[in-house]
Amino acid sequence: MEKIRVGIVGYGNVGRGVEKAVKENPDMELVAVFTRRDPASLSIDTPSAKVYKLEDAFSMTDEIDVMVLCGGSATDLAVQGPQFAAHFNTVDSFDTHAKIPAYYATLDAVAKKTTAIMSTGWDPGLFSMMRVLSGAVLPNGSDYTFWGRGVSQGHSDAIRRIPGVQYAIQYTVPIDAAVEAVRAGRQPQLTTREKHTRECYVVAEVGADRAAIEQAIVTMPNYFDEYNTTVTFLDKETFLREHREMPHGGMVLRSGVTGDGHNQIIEFDLTLDSNPEFTGSVLAAYARAAYRLAKEGSYGVKTVLDVPLAYLAAEDRMSLIAHLL
Amino acid sequence: MEKIRVGIVGYGNVGRGVEKAVKENPDMELVAVFTRRDPASLSIDTPSAKVYKLEDAFSMTDEIDVMVLCGGSATDLAVQGPQFAAHFNTVDSFDTHAKIPAYYATLDAVAKKTTAIMSTGWDPGLFSMMRVLSGAVLPNGSDYTFWGRGVSQGHSDAIRRIPGVQYAIQYTVPIDAAVEAVRAGRQPQLTTREKHTRECYVVAEVGADRAAIEQAIVTMPNYFDEYNTTVTFLDKETFLREHREMPHGGMVLRSGVTGDGHNQIIEFDLTLDSNPEFTGSVLAAYARAAYRLAKEGSYGVKTVLDVPLAYLAAEDRMSLIAHLL
């Protein structure tokens, strides 16, 4: 079997997740990892792959079928997305919702002989697919998205910037009563405070004012002030033992009505022990789609709303139709 | 706005569900209903639409953009599918899993200048999409499908054929312990008996032998013998009052493992007060897709695995990307 030759750009948590996902897909092989760090400093988990400097990629267009861009949206992807999509088929998980149209335009300008699938992952990504699918099926209804229980990196980082904080992690937690009201078809109007709580676990530096830290967290504008937030102080050993994983997940629900008042509920749930490994798994499936679309000459910017599901699976289309339809 | 002109073939429960769904979609209008019955005997719910004999359809190819085929798989669709797909864009909910490849071939032979989307609805249909999507994302894992709590027409019909039975309805019920074991990531091996129970509600004729009826139900091969089945006898009034609706639903779960043993669970749930109205709503969304694909010249047989999600929604693609991605 001819394997899909994958390159990874950026070897953080998501990059490592893609590397693990490629190992689970026998029709793919990891060829190279590209990094801004010193390549010699990077130890990767795939003996047959090599580590290169980022800029070396552009002389390797014949060696790589799809580049999986694993940098962050805020700074990395805005630059790397168009840079790589001009020369390679690409997949990314660009996740700054408000900037999606602008990012789309930068890829659209360069992806003339390449296929660039943007904003895969799970939100945006699988959750977006569910919003579009369920809205199309139930036009008379309301959408609900809940996140968690899971780690928010942005909120954890915000806590770590407070003076006196040594380690911190924040879990976003959906409120059961809100989820149950939606599942019951009541189409509730929910405030921010009614949908999620925020649980914070903090290791304070010796001598730090814990009351001041807690106050700084729960009143922090944009991050915590609109939520009911709990702050729990832990010793360092407990923290490092109990809060080293990156679980996440969430739910997308559509509560609609058909005919003479029949409630119809569509729900999609993710329960993830490892957020970056799951994101990496979604990126790998879309890497396969990018490869196939490009082979057919279907170039340009694509999203999860544009790619037929049959392109994601390793099995061929007629076999999927016979066995999974 | 130019509306999509829809025809309905077969005015049973699903046909009426499609009619209701078309009313909820402002970009569609129901033009005609085609029936094998006497058109004068049919009272439909759309004043602007007309009822015709089935065979009249073939002189109306210029008046209808998409035909939604609402007959049963066993006898109607096998004939009507290719008959209509030769002349119209079509959508159907062909649901005999084992015969899908053969049905595909009959449509493929005739849909040369038309677009025929087969086996939409929810299983096959939305559930198939989830099996393919979640299997592609989590190649190392197991699939689970649970149906219910909901009415199985096939099982209800089977009970009604037993001598002495006046009315009967059968609910398929997923077993909580099995669902919870899957959700916990344990990837259990489940027998048929461990996944679902069957609840039967029966009105017996006066003087009928209830013990014999119950015995005939619980031992019926293929339908009940592999399940734990309960039979409850009711009086006619209670039955007609409490068992007139057609709720259904179910769950598709994929339990996978990534990296060094991280469990990842993808779950899709439907909770439907009205199975035929929901099926009709899915058919309506795919009628929109069939219309658009045909307009682009993308002819031939399609399945839910082939149609990009953006084709299902009334909003245009760039608006979906900006607002729902």
Side-chain angles (χ1 to χ4, degrees):
Chain A
M1 184 170 56
E2 194 185 311
K3 294 199 177 196
I4 303 169
R5 300 168 302 168
V6 172
I8 290 174
V9 180
Y11 197 68
N13 288 326
V14 172
R16 281 191 288 269
V18 172
E19 180 180 35
K20 287 174 180 147
V22 166
K23 286 186 209 286
E24 298 291 346
N25 287 288
D27 61 339
M28 299 185 185
E29 62 175 328
L30 180 65
V31 171
V33 169
F34 300 92
T35 179
R36 280 177 310 202
R37 292 178 265 175
D38 173 9
S41 73
L42 227 65
S43 165
I44 66 172
D45 202 29
T46 306
S48 57
K50 287 186 181 160
V51 184
Y52 299 91
K53 285 186 181 176
L54 204 74
E55 53 269 29
D56 292 345
F58 302 99
S59 63
M60 295 173 67
T61 50
D62 289 343
E63 295 164 53
I64 287 164
D65 295 314
V66 188
M67 282 289 196
V68 184
L69 309 183
C70 301
S73 300
T75 50
D76 301 333
L77 289 177
V79 176
Q80 292 170 3
Q83 200 177 23
F84 279 84
H87 303 281
F88 294 94
N89 303 312
T90 63
V91 179
D92 69 54
S93 59
F94 186 87
D95 66 357
T96 312
H97 288 263
K99 294 185 178 167
I100 280 175
Y103 184 64
Y104 182 100
T106 66
L107 297 182
D108 190 43
V110 299
K112 299 303 177 192
K113 288 288 179 184
T114 59
T115 302
I117 309 183
M118 63 176 271
S119 299
T120 76
W122 59 273
D123 194 5
L126 305 191
F127 276 17
S128 324
M129 296 164 75
M130 296 305 138
R131 286 189 280 263
V132 170
L133 174 62
S134 60
V137 170
L138 298 174
N140 177 13
S142 304
D143 278 327
Y144 297 87
T145 304
F146 295 92
W147 292 274
R149 187 177 191 261
V151 176
S152 165
Q153 294 295 344
H155 288 78
S156 300
D157 290 344
I159 301 174
R160 285 192 280 263
R161 286 192 291 266
I162 296 171
V165 171
Q166 191 179 11
Y167 296 93
I169 195 163
Q170 193 268 185
Y171 298 89
T172 307
V173 185
I175 296 176
D176 284 344
V179 176
E180 290 311 318
V182 175
R183 283 185 181 147
R186 293 207 289 276
Q187 295 198 30
Q189 297 266 13
L190 297 167
T191 64
T192 297
R193 193 177 299 274
E194 287 167 337
K195 290 181 70 185
H196 298 92
T197 54
R198 297 196 177 278
E199 292 178 6
C200 310
Y201 297 86
V202 177
V203 180
E205 286 169 1
V206 176
D209 180 345
R210 294 184 174 198
I213 290 172
E214 178 165 350
Q215 190 61 16
I217 294 172
V218 301
T219 60
M220 195 186 295
N222 302 318
Y223 285 88
F224 293 100
D225 59 340
E226 293 182 39
Y227 297 85
N228 291 338
T229 302
T230 60
V231 179
T232 305
F233 288 94
L234 301 175
D235 63 90
K236 182 177 160 184
E237 288 65 36
T238 306
F239 182 92
L240 294 179
R241 190 176 63 241
E242 295 181 359
H243 299 282
R244 59 203 284 171
E245 296 284 352
M246 281 177 283
H248 217 315
M251 295 163 248
V252 175
L253 297 106
R254 175 91 179 167
S255 175
V257 175
T258 62
D260 311 320
H262 288 119
N263 285 332
Q264 315 274 24
I265 314 278
I266 302 174
E267 175 171 346
F268 181 76
D269 299 325
L270 295 176
T271 309
L272 311 176
D273 275 3
S274 167
N275 183 2
E277 287 181 9
F278 188 78
T279 300
S281 299
V282 177
L283 284 162
Y286 278 94
R288 178 183 291 123
Y291 171 78
R292 291 179 179 174
L293 287 164
K295 263 207 151 176
E296 292 178 1
S298 183
Y299 300 132
V301 196
K302 315 277 181 188
T303 72
V304 294
L305 308 180
D306 304 311
V307 178
L309 297 175
Y311 284 71
L312 302 176
E315 301 92 312
D316 72 89
R317 174 175 173 266
M318 287 313 295
S319 157
L320 294 173
I321 288 172
H323 302 120
L324 288 176
L325 192 64
Chain B
M1 183 170 56
E2 194 187 311
K3 294 197 176 195
I4 303 170
R5 299 168 302 168
V6 173
I8 290 174
V9 180
Y11 196 67
N13 287 326
V14 172
R16 282 190 289 270
V18 172
E19 181 180 34
K20 287 173 180 149
V22 166
K23 286 186 208 287
E24 299 290 344
N25 286 289
D27 60 338
M28 298 184 186
E29 61 176 328
L30 180 65
V31 171
V33 170
F34 299 92
T35 179
R36 279 178 310 203
R37 292 179 266 176
D38 173 9
S41 72
L42 227 65
S43 165
I44 66 170
D45 201 29
T46 306
S48 58
K50 287 185 181 159
V51 184
Y52 299 91
K53 285 185 182 175
L54 204 75
E55 54 269 31
D56 292 345
F58 302 99
S59 62
M60 295 174 66
T61 49
D62 289 343
E63 295 164 52
I64 287 164
D65 295 314
V66 188
M67 282 290 196
V68 184
L69 310 183
C70 301
S73 299
T75 51
D76 301 333
L77 289 177
V79 176
Q80 292 170 3
Q83 200 177 21
F84 278 85
H87 303 281
F88 294 94
N89 302 312
T90 62
V91 179
D92 69 54
S93 59
F94 186 87
D95 66 357
T96 312
H97 288 263
K99 294 185 178 168
I100 280 175
Y103 184 63
Y104 182 100
T106 67
L107 297 183
D108 190 43
V110 299
K112 299 304 177 192
K113 288 287 178 185
T114 59
T115 303
I117 310 182
M118 64 176 270
S119 300
T120 76
W122 59 274
D123 194 4
L126 305 191
F127 275 17
S128 324
M129 296 163 75
M130 295 307 137
R131 285 189 280 262
V132 170
L133 174 62
S134 61
V137 170
L138 298 174
N140 177 12
S142 303
D143 278 327
Y144 297 88
T145 303
F146 294 93
W147 293 274
R149 186 177 191 260
V151 176
S152 164
Q153 293 295 343
H155 288 78
S156 301
D157 290 345
I159 301 174
R160 284 192 281 264
R161 287 192 291 267
I162 296 171
V165 171
Q166 191 179 11
Y167 295 93
I169 195 164
Q170 192 268 183
Y171 298 89
T172 307
V173 185
I175 295 176
D176 283 345
V179 176
E180 290 311 318
V182 175
R183 283 185 182 146
R186 293 206 290 274
Q187 296 198 32
Q189 296 267 13
L190 297 167
T191 64
T192 297
R193 194 177 299 275
E194 287 168 337
K195 290 182 70 185
H196 298 91
T197 55
R198 298 196 177 277
E199 292 178 8
C200 310
Y201 296 87
V202 176
V203 180
E205 287 169 3
V206 177
D209 180 345
R210 293 185 174 198
I213 290 172
E214 179 165 349
Q215 190 61 16
I217 294 172
V218 302
T219 60
M220 195 185 294
N222 302 319
Y223 284 88
F224 293 99
D225 60 339
E226 292 182 40
Y227 298 85
N228 290 338
T229 301
T230 60
V231 179
T232 306
F233 288 93
L234 301 174
D235 63 89
K236 182 177 159 185
E237 289 65 37
T238 306
F239 182 91
L240 294 179
R241 190 176 62 241
E242 295 181 359
H243 299 283
R244 59 203 284 170
E245 297 284 352
M246 281 177 285
H248 217 315
M251 295 163 249
V252 175
L253 297 106
R254 176 90 179 166
S255 175
V257 175
T258 63
D260 309 321
H262 287 117
N263 285 331
Q264 316 275 23
I265 314 276
I266 302 175
E267 175 171 346
F268 182 76
D269 297 326
L270 295 176
T271 310
L272 311 176
D273 275 2
S274 167
N275 183 3
E277 288 181 8
F278 187 78
T279 300
S281 299
V282 177
L283 283 162
Y286 278 94
R288 178 183 291 123
Y291 171 77
R292 291 179 178 173
L293 287 164
K295 264 207 150 177
E296 292 178 2
S298 182
Y299 300 133
V301 197
K302 316 277 181 187
T303 72
V304 295
L305 308 179
D306 304 312
V307 178
L309 297 176
Y311 283 72
L312 302 177
E315 301 92 312
D316 72 89
R317 174 175 173 266
M318 287 312 296
S319 157
L320 294 172
I321 289 172
H323 302 121
L324 289 177
L325 192 64

